[in-house]
Amino acid sequence: MSGYFSYPDASLQEELKKTAEAIVVPGKGILAVDESNEGIGKLLASVGLENTENNRRRYRQLLFTTDMLSENISAVILFDETVYQKTDDGTSFIDLLKKKNIIPGIKVDKDVVPLYLSEDEVTTQGLDDLAQRCAVYKKQGCRFAKWRCPLKISEHTPSVQAIQDTAQILARYASICQSQGLVPIVEPDVLLDGDHDIVRTQKVTEVVLAAVYKSLNDHHVFLEGTLIKPNMVTPGQACPKRNTPEEIATATVTALLRGVPAAVPGIVFLSGGQSEEEATVNLNAINNVQLKKPWALTFSYGRALQASVWKTWAGKDENIKKAQIELLKRAKANGLASVGKYQPGDVTTAAGDSSNYTKNHKY
Ligand code: 13P
């Protein structure tokens, strides 16, 4: 069957749906540790370590060997190199995660390049060999994938050109993932950079989501077997007017209600440069807002789960246990926030209130 009548076959639908639902099970969310080698290199440099394969492995080992990590972490997003790495005792990271009942996933976009003749916007690469790469990752034990398309807000952006490009690319990516049995996490990331207010972020987010779901529909993507990873609707980082968590929650859920079909099992927010505590408090407010919420609303944080880990570890073996406790505290706080039960200030971590924003952040 083809065209208007096609979706993945019934058994594949079942598998995709089960995976997507398991990732957003109540009280849990995703640990995003898919920093590129360049991205993690900056973090390693900040603790005085060289950007070597072994140092990248040692850091990720610290995360994955954390006892009780699965209490609030359902899944992790890996970078290509990490899929093939092992702990000191020779256990593959993927086997270790599976043993802990944590679902391994993989970042599959190949990062951004300039979008020609746009307003300084970008497009994302990696579609050409994606089916083959997905098949390999599936064999290695990954069950989902992630692809991020950033869009920036300025006077004339995001442009129609960039929005359409993002929507097309995310839909092709999602359809290829499903064809290979991986749940696609679709990530249109409206960036925090800029001095725009929350009203503008909300409108832009709505327009982007509408374009993305139209395109997913055009490509016969089976929505029950997908997740979406959007930005929260906040004012731009340089906007003088700051909004309360309740205002952010209302704007975010309103935009999502307008743009994300109820068939999608879950929304897994990126943290985007918010401080650890802000990202937790805003997620908590989102889960408490008095609006319809047909999907699970949880976290897929990178910086907002790891900032305190980096600060505490500082590259030293003797700090590993302490750094793992920081990770558990943040995961627990976000787990509570994902069901609206976090009390702001309840958890304190080494970098809890420090902003994680950097201009033109490189993942
Ligand atoms: P942040 O939470 O640091 O924004 O990272 C999430 C992520 O994986 C973006 O692709």
Side-chain angles (χ1 to χ4, degrees):
M1 282 196 291
S2 65
Y4 289 113
F5 303 102
S6 48
Y7 274 116
D9 67 43
S11 67
L12 180 52
Q13 284 190 23
E14 195 48 37
E15 180 191 340
L16 294 167
K17 184 165 177 274
K18 254 176 66 186
T19 300
E21 287 172 354
I23 294 172
V24 296
V25 71
K28 298 194 188 188
I30 303 173
L31 171 63
V33 289
D34 55 324
E35 298 85 2
S36 64
N37 288 350
E38 189 187 337
I40 195 174
K42 286 195 193 129
L43 293 158
L44 287 168
S46 75
V47 297
L49 289 179
E50 241 185 284
N51 189 6
T52 60
E53 201 226 309
N54 190 42
N55 282 336
R56 296 192 290 269
R57 187 195 64 84
R58 282 175 61 217
Y59 173 70
R60 264 95 186 221
Q61 168 171 267
L62 176 164
L63 301 174
F64 303 155
T65 55
T66 301
D67 264 348
M68 319 276 281
L69 186 62
S70 64
E71 293 278 297
N72 301 102
I73 299 294
S74 57
V76 299
I77 313 177
L78 306 171
F79 185 69
D80 178 72
E81 171 181 277
T82 324
V83 169
Y84 304 98
Q85 285 175 325
K86 298 183 168 124
T87 58
D88 293 342
D89 71 10
T91 311
S92 85
F93 282 165
I94 293 218
D95 285 345
L96 172 68
L97 292 168
K98 288 208 294 210
K99 227 168 50 219
K100 287 175 178 273
N101 198 25
I102 294 176
I103 302 173
I106 178 75
K107 167 203 168 91
V108 293
D109 67 77
K110 289 191 171 171
D111 223 328
V112 298
V113 287
L115 181 62
Y116 185 53
L117 296 182
S118 70
E119 301 248 355
D120 219 8
E121 297 173 280
V122 292
T123 183
T124 322
Q125 308 181 101
L127 284 178
D128 279 359
D129 57 351
L130 184 58
Q132 294 93 307
R133 290 193 288 128
C134 284
V136 172
Y137 291 135
K138 180 81 197 271
K139 238 198 194 135
Q140 292 292 328
C142 294
R143 288 170 57 195
F144 70 98
K146 171 198 119 164
W147 182 297
R148 169 176 177 265
C149 289
L151 290 162
K152 75 165 178 188
I153 299 184
S154 68
E155 197 181 346
H156 300 294
T157 68
S159 63
V160 171
Q161 179 190 4
I163 292 171
Q164 287 304 324
D165 177 68
T166 289
Q168 280 297 321
I169 289 176
L170 286 175
R172 277 294 293 140
Y173 143 75
S175 114
I176 294 168
C177 283
Q178 291 197 331
S179 78
Q180 302 303 315
L182 297 180
V183 166
I185 297 187
V186 172
E187 185 178 354
D189 177 1
V190 177
L191 298 170
L192 205 57
D193 304 59
D195 61 2
H196 51 276
D197 64 11
I198 195 169
V199 177
R200 178 131 162 83
T201 311
Q202 184 182 327
K203 180 62 180 165
V204 167
T205 303
E206 289 173 10
V207 169
V208 169
L209 290 172
V212 168
Y213 281 100
K214 166 68 175 123
S215 201
L216 291 176
N217 183 285
D218 289 343
H219 286 269
H220 317 292
V221 173
F222 170 61
L223 293 184
E224 290 82 347
T226 66
L227 295 168
I228 176 114
K229 177 160 173 168
N231 50 287
M232 289 181 189
V233 175
T234 66
Q237 165 276 332
C239 176
K241 169 148 173 56
R242 306 317 297 167
N243 295 89
T244 63
E246 290 68 32
E247 288 166 344
I248 288 168
T250 301
T252 301
V253 178
T254 302
L256 294 170
L257 280 170
R258 291 174 181 168
V260 181
V264 174
I267 293 175
V268 294
F269 293 103
L270 58 97
S271 63
Q274 300 180 65
S275 73
E276 289 179 337
E277 182 67 4
E278 255 179 302
T280 305
V281 168
N282 287 338
L283 179 63
N284 191 60
I286 284 169
N287 276 292
N288 281 312
V289 79
Q290 294 301 305
L291 289 167
K292 278 184 283 192
K293 281 163 289 189
W295 348 257
L297 293 149
T298 189
F299 59 92
S300 175
Y301 294 162
R303 285 165 282 176
L305 274 170
Q306 296 180 76
S308 292
V309 177
W310 279 103
K311 191 165 176 192
T312 307
W313 178 48
K316 299 199 169 71
D317 282 349
E318 64 264 31
N319 296 333
I320 289 176
K321 274 270 164 297
K322 276 193 246 157
Q324 290 176 329
I325 290 169
E326 295 293 285
L327 175 62
L328 283 180
K329 284 203 281 185
R330 242 23 279 173
K332 169 110 193 179
N334 288 313
L336 287 168
S338 77
V339 289
K341 295 216 160 83
Y342 179 70
Q343 292 298 329
D346 254 13
V347 164
T348 49
T349 42
D353 291 318
S354 316
S355 167
N356 289 310
Y357 173 80
T358 45
K359 198 168 159 22
N360 295 326
H361 177 70
K362 171 92 189 124
Y363 282 97

